[in-house]
Amino acid sequence: MARTIVITSGKGGVGKTTTSASFAMGLAKNGHKTAVIDFDVGLRNLDLILGCERRVVYDFVNVINQEANLNQALIRDKRCDNLYVLPASQTRDKDALTQEGVGKVIDELREDFDYIICDSPAGIERGAMLAMYYADDAIIVTNPEVSSVRDSDRMLGILASKSRRSEQNEEPISEYLLLTRYDPARVKRGDMLSVEDVQEILSMDLLGVIPESQDILNASNSGDPVILMEKTNAAQAYRDVVERYLGEEIPQRFINQKGFLGRLFGG
Amino acid sequence: MRLLDFFRTRRASSASVAKERLQILVAHEHAHRKRTPSYLPLLQKELLAVISKYVKINPDDMKVSLEQNEHEEILELNIVLPEESPKKARKTN
Ligand SMILES: Nc1ncnc2c1ncn2[C@@H]1O[C@H](COP(=O)(O)OP(=O)(O)OP(=O)(O)O)[C@@H](O)[C@H]1O
Ligand SMILES: [Mg+2]
Protein backbone atom coordinates (compact mmCIF):
# COMPACT_ATOMS: atom_id res chain seq x y z
CA MET A 1 0.00 0.00 0.00
CA ALA A 2 1.50 3.35 -1.06
CA ARG A 3 1.77 6.12 1.51
CA THR A 4 1.51 9.82 0.85
CA ILE A 5 3.61 12.01 3.15
CA VAL A 6 3.40 15.79 3.35
CA ILE A 7 6.39 17.84 4.49
CA THR A 8 4.83 20.97 5.92
CA SER A 9 5.39 23.76 8.46
CA GLY A 10 3.22 26.81 8.03
CA LYS A 11 6.23 29.08 8.43
CA GLY A 12 8.53 29.68 5.49
CA GLY A 13 12.22 28.89 5.19
CA VAL A 14 12.38 26.32 7.99
CA GLY A 15 13.78 23.47 5.87
CA LYS A 16 10.84 21.74 4.14
CA THR A 17 12.48 21.48 0.74
CA THR A 18 15.83 20.44 2.24
CA THR A 19 13.96 17.76 4.20
CA SER A 20 11.81 16.63 1.25
CA ALA A 21 14.90 16.11 -0.91
CA SER A 22 16.88 14.18 1.70
CA PHE A 23 13.94 12.19 3.04
CA ALA A 24 12.85 11.14 -0.45
CA MET A 25 16.42 10.22 -1.40
CA GLY A 26 16.78 8.26 1.86
CA LEU A 27 13.60 6.24 1.24
CA ALA A 28 14.69 5.57 -2.34
CA LYS A 29 18.15 4.46 -1.24
CA ASN A 30 16.47 2.08 1.20
CA GLY A 31 14.93 0.36 -1.80
CA HIS A 32 11.53 2.04 -1.87
CA LYS A 33 10.21 3.47 -5.10
CA THR A 34 9.63 7.12 -4.20
CA ALA A 35 8.19 10.14 -5.98
CA VAL A 36 8.67 13.64 -4.63
CA ILE A 37 6.32 16.42 -5.75
CA ASP A 38 7.07 20.13 -5.54
CA PHE A 39 3.82 21.92 -4.60
CA ASP A 40 5.41 25.37 -4.55
CA VAL A 41 3.78 26.58 -7.76
CA GLY A 42 5.45 29.74 -9.02
CA LEU A 43 8.56 29.25 -6.89
CA ARG A 44 9.93 25.89 -7.84
CA ASN A 45 13.08 24.94 -5.92
CA LEU A 46 13.10 21.25 -5.27
CA ASP A 47 14.58 20.59 -8.73
CA LEU A 48 17.57 22.78 -7.80
CA ILE A 49 18.11 21.11 -4.44
CA LEU A 50 18.02 17.72 -6.19
CA GLY A 51 20.22 18.93 -9.04
CA CYS A 52 17.82 18.12 -11.88
CA GLU A 53 16.81 21.67 -12.86
CA ARG A 54 18.13 21.34 -16.40
CA ARG A 55 16.10 18.21 -17.07
CA VAL A 56 12.69 19.77 -16.40
CA VAL A 57 10.52 19.52 -19.51
CA TYR A 58 6.99 19.21 -18.21
CA ASP A 59 5.70 19.98 -14.73
CA PHE A 60 2.94 19.20 -12.23
CA VAL A 61 0.50 21.71 -13.76
CA ASN A 62 1.11 20.35 -17.28
CA VAL A 63 0.08 16.93 -15.99
CA ILE A 64 -3.02 18.28 -14.24
CA ASN A 65 -4.04 20.12 -17.42
CA GLN A 66 -3.33 16.97 -19.45
CA GLU A 67 -0.75 18.73 -21.57
CA ALA A 68 1.65 15.92 -20.68
CA ASN A 69 1.28 12.55 -19.07
CA LEU A 70 2.84 11.65 -15.77
CA ASN A 71 5.66 9.60 -17.31
CA GLN A 72 6.73 12.53 -19.46
CA ALA A 73 6.88 14.87 -16.48
CA LEU A 74 8.54 12.63 -13.89
CA ILE A 75 12.33 13.05 -13.79
CA ARG A 76 14.29 9.98 -12.78
CA ASP A 77 17.17 10.73 -10.44
CA LYS A 78 20.63 10.03 -11.89
CA ARG A 79 22.05 8.83 -8.58
CA CYS A 80 19.23 6.55 -7.48
CA ASP A 81 16.92 4.62 -9.79
CA ASN A 82 14.13 4.49 -7.22
CA LEU A 83 13.71 8.26 -6.99
CA TYR A 84 11.52 10.38 -9.26
CA VAL A 85 10.82 14.11 -9.11
CA LEU A 86 7.68 15.92 -10.25
CA PRO A 87 8.69 19.59 -10.54
CA ALA A 88 6.41 22.52 -9.77
CA SER A 89 5.22 24.83 -12.48
CA GLN A 90 6.57 28.37 -12.73
CA THR A 91 3.14 29.75 -13.62
CA ARG A 92 1.86 32.74 -11.69
CA ASP A 93 -1.69 31.43 -11.87
CA LYS A 94 -2.64 30.70 -8.28
CA ASP A 95 -5.53 28.46 -9.30
CA ALA A 96 -3.38 26.17 -11.43
CA LEU A 97 -3.64 23.39 -8.85
CA THR A 98 -7.11 21.95 -8.38
CA GLN A 99 -8.16 19.49 -5.71
CA GLU A 100 -9.45 17.09 -8.33
CA GLY A 101 -6.35 17.40 -10.50
CA VAL A 102 -3.99 16.83 -7.59
CA GLY A 103 -6.10 13.85 -6.47
CA LYS A 104 -5.83 12.24 -9.90
CA VAL A 105 -2.06 12.64 -10.05
CA ILE A 106 -1.62 11.21 -6.55
CA ASP A 107 -3.94 8.28 -7.33
CA GLU A 108 -1.94 7.49 -10.43
CA LEU A 109 1.35 7.70 -8.52
CA ARG A 110 -0.02 5.43 -5.79
CA GLU A 111 -0.37 2.61 -8.29
CA ASP A 112 3.31 2.64 -9.09
CA PHE A 113 5.16 4.00 -6.06
CA ASP A 114 5.71 3.03 -2.43
CA TYR A 115 6.01 6.59 -1.14
CA ILE A 116 4.80 9.93 -2.45
CA ILE A 117 6.42 12.91 -0.76
CA CYS A 118 4.67 16.27 -1.04
CA ASP A 119 6.94 19.28 -0.50
CA SER A 120 4.54 21.95 0.73
CA PRO A 121 4.97 25.67 0.16
CA ALA A 122 4.87 27.94 3.21
CA GLY A 123 1.65 29.51 4.40
CA ILE A 124 -1.89 28.18 4.37
CA GLU A 125 -2.89 29.13 0.85
CA ARG A 126 -4.06 26.77 -1.86
CA GLY A 127 -0.71 25.06 -2.56
CA ALA A 128 -0.14 24.24 1.10
CA MET A 129 -3.73 23.09 1.62
CA LEU A 130 -3.54 20.76 -1.39
CA ALA A 131 -0.11 19.42 -0.43
CA MET A 132 -1.56 18.11 2.84
CA TYR A 133 -5.08 17.25 1.67
CA TYR A 134 -4.35 13.70 0.47
CA ALA A 135 -1.67 12.88 3.06
CA ASP A 136 -1.54 9.73 5.17
CA ASP A 137 1.39 11.04 7.20
CA ALA A 138 2.66 14.53 7.92
CA ILE A 139 6.16 15.59 8.87
CA ILE A 140 5.95 18.95 10.61
CA VAL A 141 9.25 20.74 10.08
CA THR A 142 9.84 23.11 12.97
CA ASN A 143 12.68 25.39 14.01
CA PRO A 144 13.24 25.94 17.75
CA GLU A 145 11.86 29.44 17.59
CA VAL A 146 8.53 30.97 18.69
CA SER A 147 6.90 31.78 15.36
CA SER A 148 7.81 28.44 13.82
CA VAL A 149 6.42 26.50 16.80
CA ARG A 150 3.23 28.49 16.74
CA ASP A 151 2.78 27.93 13.01
CA SER A 152 3.40 24.21 13.45
CA ASP A 153 0.63 24.12 16.00
CA ARG A 154 -1.70 25.85 13.57
CA MET A 155 -0.79 23.32 10.89
CA LEU A 156 -1.73 20.52 13.28
CA GLY A 157 -5.17 22.07 13.62
CA ILE A 158 -5.53 22.28 9.86
CA LEU A 159 -4.36 18.69 9.32
CA ALA A 160 -7.00 17.56 11.78
CA SER A 161 -9.86 19.36 10.08
CA LYS A 162 -9.13 20.14 6.43
CA SER A 163 -7.68 16.92 5.05
CA ARG A 164 -9.33 14.16 3.07
CA ARG A 165 -8.94 11.81 6.01
CA SER A 166 -10.69 14.19 8.38
CA GLU A 167 -13.47 15.01 5.94
CA GLN A 168 -14.21 11.37 5.32
CA ASN A 169 -14.00 10.47 9.00
CA GLU A 170 -11.07 8.14 8.42
CA GLU A 171 -8.22 7.50 10.80
CA PRO A 172 -6.45 10.86 11.23
CA ILE A 173 -3.16 11.74 9.53
CA SER A 174 -0.14 10.51 11.54
CA GLU A 175 1.91 13.51 12.59
CA TYR A 176 5.66 13.52 13.18
CA LEU A 177 7.76 16.35 14.57
CA LEU A 178 11.05 17.11 12.85
CA LEU A 179 13.07 19.77 14.62
CA THR A 180 15.59 21.38 12.27
CA ARG A 181 18.37 23.97 12.57
CA TYR A 182 18.92 22.85 16.13
CA ASP A 183 21.90 24.29 17.96
CA PRO A 184 22.68 22.41 21.21
CA ALA A 185 25.16 25.06 22.35
CA ARG A 186 22.50 27.77 22.21
CA VAL A 187 20.02 25.50 23.96
CA LYS A 188 22.54 24.97 26.72
CA ARG A 189 23.03 28.71 27.07
CA GLY A 190 19.28 29.08 27.47
CA ASP A 191 18.62 31.12 24.38
CA MET A 192 17.05 28.44 22.22
CA LEU A 193 14.03 26.23 22.93
CA SER A 194 15.09 22.64 23.64
CA VAL A 195 13.77 19.49 21.97
CA GLU A 196 11.85 18.71 25.15
CA ASP A 197 10.35 22.20 25.24
CA VAL A 198 9.06 21.96 21.68
CA GLN A 199 7.77 18.43 22.16
CA GLU A 200 5.98 19.47 25.30
CA ILE A 201 4.37 22.51 23.69
CA LEU A 202 3.22 20.63 20.59
CA SER A 203 2.72 17.24 22.31
CA MET A 204 3.90 15.29 19.29
CA ASP A 205 6.06 12.27 18.61
CA LEU A 206 9.60 13.25 17.72
CA LEU A 207 10.83 11.87 14.42
CA GLY A 208 14.23 13.49 14.71
CA VAL A 209 16.46 16.50 15.16
CA ILE A 210 18.55 17.99 12.34
CA PRO A 211 21.38 20.14 13.65
CA GLU A 212 22.15 23.58 12.28
CA SER A 213 24.76 22.75 9.67
CA GLN A 214 26.99 24.52 7.18
CA ASP A 215 26.94 21.43 5.01
CA ILE A 216 23.34 22.11 3.98
CA LEU A 217 24.39 25.23 2.09
CA ASN A 218 27.20 23.31 0.39
CA ALA A 219 24.78 20.55 -0.53
CA SER A 220 22.38 23.01 -2.13
CA ASN A 221 25.24 24.69 -3.99
CA SER A 222 26.13 21.43 -5.66
CA GLY A 223 22.61 20.07 -6.16
CA ASP A 224 23.10 16.97 -4.02
CA PRO A 225 20.63 16.38 -1.20
CA VAL A 226 22.62 16.61 2.03
CA ILE A 227 21.81 13.00 2.96
CA LEU A 228 24.34 11.98 0.28
CA MET A 229 27.19 13.87 2.00
CA GLU A 230 27.67 10.80 4.08
CA LYS A 231 30.15 11.89 6.72
CA THR A 232 28.28 15.02 7.76
CA ASN A 233 26.10 15.29 10.87
CA ALA A 234 23.17 16.48 8.79
CA ALA A 235 23.36 13.40 6.56
CA GLN A 236 23.51 11.08 9.57
CA ALA A 237 20.60 12.88 11.16
CA TYR A 238 18.50 12.55 7.99
CA ARG A 239 19.43 8.87 7.64
CA ASP A 240 18.26 8.26 11.21
CA VAL A 241 15.02 10.05 10.40
CA VAL A 242 14.37 7.81 7.39
CA GLU A 243 15.09 4.65 9.36
CA ARG A 244 12.96 5.76 12.28
CA TYR A 245 10.13 6.53 9.88
CA LEU A 246 10.51 3.02 8.48
CA GLY A 247 10.09 1.61 11.98
CA GLU A 248 13.65 1.14 13.27
CA GLU A 249 14.34 2.10 16.87
CA ILE A 250 17.24 4.50 16.70
CA PRO A 251 18.30 6.68 19.62
CA GLN A 252 18.25 10.45 19.09
CA ARG A 253 21.59 12.04 18.27
CA PHE A 254 22.80 15.62 17.87
CA ILE A 255 20.67 16.77 20.78
CA ASN A 256 23.47 17.34 23.23
CA GLN A 257 26.50 19.48 22.88
CA LYS A 258 29.61 17.39 22.92
CA GLY A 259 31.80 18.18 25.90
CA PHE A 260 35.50 18.86 25.54
CA LEU A 261 36.42 15.22 26.25
CA GLY A 262 33.69 13.98 23.94
CA ARG A 263 35.09 16.07 21.14
CA LEU A 264 38.61 15.00 21.92
CA PHE A 265 37.76 11.32 21.68
CA GLY A 266 35.18 11.76 18.95
CA GLY A 267 32.55 10.07 21.16
CA MET B 1 15.12 48.96 40.89
CA ARG B 2 17.62 48.79 38.07
CA LEU B 3 19.71 46.26 39.93
CA LEU B 4 16.69 44.12 40.78
CA ASP B 5 15.54 44.15 37.17
CA PHE B 6 18.97 43.13 36.09
CA PHE B 7 18.93 40.08 38.33
CA ARG B 8 15.41 39.19 37.38
CA THR B 9 16.06 39.17 33.65
CA ARG B 10 19.22 37.20 34.19
CA ARG B 11 17.35 34.48 36.01
CA ALA B 12 14.75 33.67 33.35
CA SER B 13 16.54 32.57 30.20
CA SER B 14 15.05 33.80 26.98
CA ALA B 15 14.19 30.23 26.00
CA SER B 16 12.11 29.70 29.11
CA VAL B 17 10.26 32.94 28.47
CA ALA B 18 9.60 31.70 24.93
CA LYS B 19 8.33 28.38 26.24
CA GLU B 20 5.96 30.00 28.69
CA ARG B 21 4.55 32.36 26.06
CA LEU B 22 4.03 29.52 23.63
CA GLN B 23 2.33 27.32 26.20
CA ILE B 24 -0.18 30.03 27.02
CA LEU B 25 -0.82 30.75 23.36
CA VAL B 26 -1.20 27.12 22.35
CA ALA B 27 -3.52 26.34 25.26
CA HIS B 28 -5.68 29.28 24.25
CA GLU B 29 -5.81 28.26 20.61
CA HIS B 30 -6.56 24.64 21.46
CA ALA B 31 -9.47 25.55 23.71
CA HIS B 32 -10.90 27.23 20.65
CA ARG B 33 -10.21 24.30 18.37
CA LYS B 34 -11.64 21.54 20.57
CA ARG B 35 -15.10 22.92 19.98
CA THR B 36 -15.23 21.48 16.48
CA PRO B 37 -16.15 17.82 16.68
CA SER B 38 -14.69 15.62 13.97
CA TYR B 39 -18.06 14.69 12.49
CA LEU B 40 -18.92 18.27 11.53
CA PRO B 41 -17.29 18.29 8.06
CA LEU B 42 -19.07 15.09 7.04
CA LEU B 43 -22.35 16.29 8.52
CA GLN B 44 -22.00 19.49 6.54
CA LYS B 45 -21.28 17.55 3.35
CA GLU B 46 -24.30 15.30 3.74
CA LEU B 47 -26.61 18.15 4.70
CA LEU B 48 -25.43 20.02 1.64
CA ALA B 49 -26.26 17.01 -0.54
CA VAL B 50 -29.78 16.78 0.90
CA ILE B 51 -30.47 20.50 0.66
CA SER B 52 -29.14 20.63 -2.89
CA LYS B 53 -31.86 18.22 -3.92
CA TYR B 54 -34.42 20.96 -3.23
CA VAL B 55 -32.62 24.29 -3.46
CA LYS B 56 -29.56 25.20 -5.45
CA ILE B 57 -27.11 26.75 -3.00
CA ASN B 58 -23.46 27.66 -3.07
CA PRO B 59 -21.45 25.33 -0.77
CA ASP B 60 -19.78 28.39 0.76
CA ASP B 61 -23.15 29.78 1.77
CA MET B 62 -23.81 26.99 4.21
CA LYS B 63 -22.30 26.88 7.68
CA VAL B 64 -22.60 24.27 10.38
CA SER B 65 -21.16 25.00 13.78
CA LEU B 66 -21.36 23.81 17.33
CA GLU B 67 -21.43 26.27 20.20
CA GLN B 68 -20.76 25.09 23.73
CA ASN B 69 -21.16 26.56 27.16
CA GLU B 70 -21.59 25.05 30.62
CA HIS B 71 -25.31 24.45 30.19
CA GLU B 72 -25.91 23.46 26.62
CA GLU B 73 -24.60 22.70 23.18
CA ILE B 74 -26.10 24.42 20.18
CA LEU B 75 -25.76 22.94 16.76
CA GLU B 76 -26.30 25.76 14.34
CA LEU B 77 -27.06 25.44 10.65
CA ASN B 78 -26.89 28.60 8.63
CA ILE B 79 -27.83 28.72 4.95
CA VAL B 80 -27.87 31.75 2.73
CA LEU B 81 -30.33 31.16 -0.09
CA PRO B 82 -29.36 32.35 -3.57
CA GLU B 83 -30.21 35.83 -4.89
CA GLU B 84 -33.53 34.95 -6.57
CA SER B 85 -35.15 34.32 -3.25
CA PRO B 86 -34.96 37.28 -0.90
CA LYS B 87 -35.42 35.17 2.24
CA LYS B 88 -32.66 34.05 4.52
CA ALA B 89 -33.21 30.70 6.14
CA ARG B 90 -31.89 30.16 9.57
CA LYS B 91 -32.54 27.33 11.85
CA THR B 92 -31.27 26.93 15.35
CA ASN B 93 -31.76 23.86 17.37
N1 LIG C 1 19.66 22.21 9.28
C1 LIG C 1 19.99 23.34 8.62
N2 LIG C 1 21.13 24.01 8.92
C2 LIG C 1 21.47 25.14 8.27
N3 LIG C 1 20.74 25.68 7.27
C3 LIG C 1 19.60 25.06 6.92
C4 LIG C 1 19.15 23.86 7.56
N4 LIG C 1 18.00 23.47 6.98
C5 LIG C 1 17.72 24.39 6.02
N5 LIG C 1 18.68 25.35 5.97
C6 LIG C 1 18.73 26.51 5.07
O1 LIG C 1 17.55 27.26 5.26
C7 LIG C 1 17.10 27.81 4.04
C8 LIG C 1 15.66 27.40 3.77
O2 LIG C 1 15.60 25.98 3.57
P1 LIG C 1 14.47 25.32 2.68
O3 LIG C 1 14.43 25.92 1.33
O4 LIG C 1 14.64 23.85 2.78
O5 LIG C 1 13.20 25.78 3.51
P2 LIG C 1 11.66 25.69 3.09
O6 LIG C 1 10.92 25.44 4.35
O7 LIG C 1 11.49 24.74 1.97
O8 LIG C 1 11.40 27.17 2.56
P3 LIG C 1 10.07 27.69 1.81
O9 LIG C 1 9.07 27.90 2.90
O10 LIG C 1 10.50 28.97 1.18
O11 LIG C 1 9.67 26.63 0.84
C9 LIG C 1 18.06 27.33 2.97
O12 LIG C 1 18.98 28.34 2.71
C10 LIG C 1 18.73 26.13 3.60
O13 LIG C 1 20.04 25.96 3.11
MG1 LIG D 1 10.49 24.98 0.06
Side-chain angles (χ1 to χ4, degrees):
Chain A
M1 226 359 218
R3 276 194 95 74
T4 305
I5 308 159
V6 63
I7 314 293
T8 187
S9 66
K11 187 164 161 61
V14 294
K16 293 179 293 296
T17 300
T18 305
T19 299
S20 298
S22 279
F23 189 67
M25 177 61 88
L27 288 171
K29 292 206 86 174
N30 266 285
H32 302 286
K33 197 167 171 193
T34 304
V36 55
I37 311 177
D38 188 347
F39 273 80
D40 209 340
V41 170
L43 288 169
R44 103 170 145 226
N45 266 325
L46 183 67
D47 54 336
L48 264 179
I49 300 302
L50 281 165
C52 63
E53 70 279 5
R54 288 192 303 185
R55 295 165 63 211
V56 175
V57 183
Y58 295 109
D59 60 51
F60 195 11
V61 170
N62 293 140
V63 179
I64 287 176
N65 294 340
Q66 299 179 334
E67 292 147 5
N69 64 41
L70 199 47
N71 287 329
Q72 290 174 297
L74 282 172
I75 303 169
R76 185 179 208 162
D77 190 84
K78 289 226 159 114
R79 296 149 298 203
C80 182
D81 282 351
N82 282 326
L83 180 64
Y84 290 78
V85 185
L86 184 55
S89 153
Q90 290 286 47
T91 174
R92 296 226 215 126
D93 176 9
K94 285 221 155 148
D95 300 329
L97 295 182
T98 59
Q99 179 159 309
E100 198 196 350
V102 172
K104 274 192 187 156
V105 172
I106 290 184
D107 278 346
E108 201 179 330
L109 287 169
R110 289 177 73 95
E111 296 190 356
D112 230 28
F113 286 85
D114 301 321
Y115 293 104
I116 297 136
I117 313 298
C118 303
D119 178 16
S120 175
I124 49 174
E125 300 291 315
R126 193 185 196 97
M129 298 305 272
L130 287 174
M132 63 94 198
Y133 187 76
Y134 293 98
D136 301 307
D137 301 324
I139 295 181
I140 316 289
V141 180
T142 307
N143 292 166
E145 174 268 326
V146 282
S147 55
S148 174
V149 174
R150 181 202 206 164
D151 286 1
S152 294
D153 184 64
R154 285 211 60 199
M155 275 322 293
L156 291 176
I158 292 172
L159 288 166
S161 61
K162 298 274 193 303
S163 63
R164 186 191 58 85
R165 278 175 176 264
S166 68
E167 285 180 3
Q168 310 206 335
N169 263 347
E170 288 178 22
E171 196 184 318
I173 294 175
S174 310
E175 301 149 346
Y176 302 91
L177 173 64
L178 182 70
L179 204 56
T180 60
R181 311 203 66 161
Y182 196 69
D183 185 341
R186 300 197 70 181
V187 172
K188 201 167 175 210
R189 262 184 269 138
D191 50 43
M192 183 180 270
L193 289 163
S194 70
V195 192
E196 294 80 17
D197 290 341
V198 179
Q199 254 187 294
E200 194 182 325
I201 295 161
L202 296 176
S203 44
M204 288 178 72
D205 287 334
L206 180 69
L207 184 62
V209 176
I210 311 297
E212 172 75 25
S213 154
Q214 309 268 333
D215 299 311
I216 294 199
L217 181 60
N218 292 332
S220 69
N221 285 341
S222 66
D224 290 313
V226 74
I227 196 169
L228 295 177
M229 302 178 75
E230 296 193 358
K231 295 248 160 58
T232 65
N233 281 354
Q236 288 172 34
Y238 273 118
R239 276 206 304 278
D240 286 359
V241 162
V242 170
E243 306 219 323
R244 252 180 236 124
Y245 175 80
L246 292 172
E248 302 285 320
E249 287 232 5
I250 295 180
Q252 297 290 344
R253 295 193 269 178
F254 313 111
I255 289 182
N256 296 311
Q257 192 190 9
K258 276 188 190 164
F260 173 70
L261 285 176
R263 247 174 305 182
L264 204 63
F265 295 109
Chain B
M1 263 321 265
R2 279 266 167 85
L3 198 66
L4 243 173
D5 279 346
F6 175 75
F7 279 112
R8 196 174 296 146
T9 50
R10 286 285 297 212
R11 232 185 304 136
S13 73
S14 73
S16 61
V17 174
K19 183 180 181 186
E20 199 181 311
R21 290 173 61 213
L22 279 166
Q23 276 174 324
I24 293 166
L25 189 67
V26 163
H28 185 80
E29 290 179 348
H30 283 198
H32 214 74
R33 217 184 276 158
K34 285 258 163 53
R35 255 189 257 146
T36 312
S38 62
Y39 62 76
L40 270 195
L42 194 63
L43 175 67
Q44 172 153 0
K45 213 166 148 186
E46 292 187 359
L47 281 173
L48 184 67
V50 173
I51 290 161
S52 300
K53 279 202 240 172
Y54 304 95
V55 207
K56 199 168 179 304
I57 57 165
N58 185 337
D60 294 337
D61 290 341
M62 190 179 106
K63 261 193 138 135
V64 184
S65 64
L66 189 74
E67 298 282 332
Q68 265 173 333
N69 60 40
E70 298 106 292
H71 312 294
E72 54 187 2
E73 290 188 349
I74 301 167
L75 182 63
E76 187 172 291
L77 168 62
N78 202 322
I79 307 166
V80 180
L81 292 176
E83 284 296 323
E84 306 88 75
S85 112
K87 280 168 277 167
K88 188 178 173 192
R90 189 191 167 112
K91 194 172 218 167
T92 303
N93 211 319

